[in-house]
Amino acid sequence: MVVPTLCLLWAIATAVRPAPVAPLGGPEPAQYEELTLLFHGALQLGQALNGVYKATEARLTEAGRNLGLFDQALEFLGREVNQGRDATRELRTSLSEIQAEEDTLHLRAEATARSLREVARAQHALRNSVRRLQVQLRGAWLGQAHQEFENLKDRADKQNHLLWALTGHVQRQQREMAEQQQWLRQIQQRLHMAALPA
């Protein structure tokens, strides 16, 4: 808009030439060459301003594009942070469930250990009964006492087998609990590391 206006002014100035008459004692009127030089300078200034305007417009467009990319990057990072928080929350929930399961297993192991102690006490009492019967049988070999002795001996053997099986079960549970505690510690360490700020 500025350049066509300046061109129009220059065309008018070249078409209309004022009379070279000047009042006496006043300043001299501008010469044709001076006006041409003035309009040429104004034209160059308009072109320079137009170039500055276009360069500024290009920079603003680039800045707007960069700002859009920056907004997209911020949005992506926000999604990543939210996903990290969700994963941490899920991991904490899983950790709580594992801890509750471990507590339940610990209670079961304690109950099994109590049962095992009771069976051991009963077995001890049964052995004492078998010994007493053996002493009685040495003195007199009676049919009914011998049958009772065999029954008690069978019971003692069954309880020995049961005690052996329960002992193996308790040892297996203790091994499983130790493995779960190790696994739980590893998860807690990973959760702690994930919660640290990057």
Side-chain angles (χ1 to χ4, degrees), residues 178-189:
E179 289 172 2
Q180 279 197 347
Q181 285 177 345
Q182 176 67 22
W183 185 55
L184 191 62
R185 279 193 293 274
Q186 290 173 354
I187 290 176
Q188 285 174 335
Q189 287 174 353

Side-chain angles (χ1 to χ4, degrees), residues 24-68:
L24 293 173
E28 292 184 17
Q31 297 296 320
Y32 175 77
E33 291 81 11
E34 291 174 343
L35 287 176
T36 304
L37 192 63
L38 178 66
F39 281 117
H40 183 67
L43 184 63
Q44 286 182 339
L45 177 64
Q47 289 174 344
L49 287 175
N50 191 23
V52 169
Y53 171 78
K54 286 182 180 175
T56 305
E57 186 178 28
R59 283 186 192 145
L60 285 174
T61 303
E62 180 68 19
R65 191 177 68 80
N66 289 340
L67 189 59

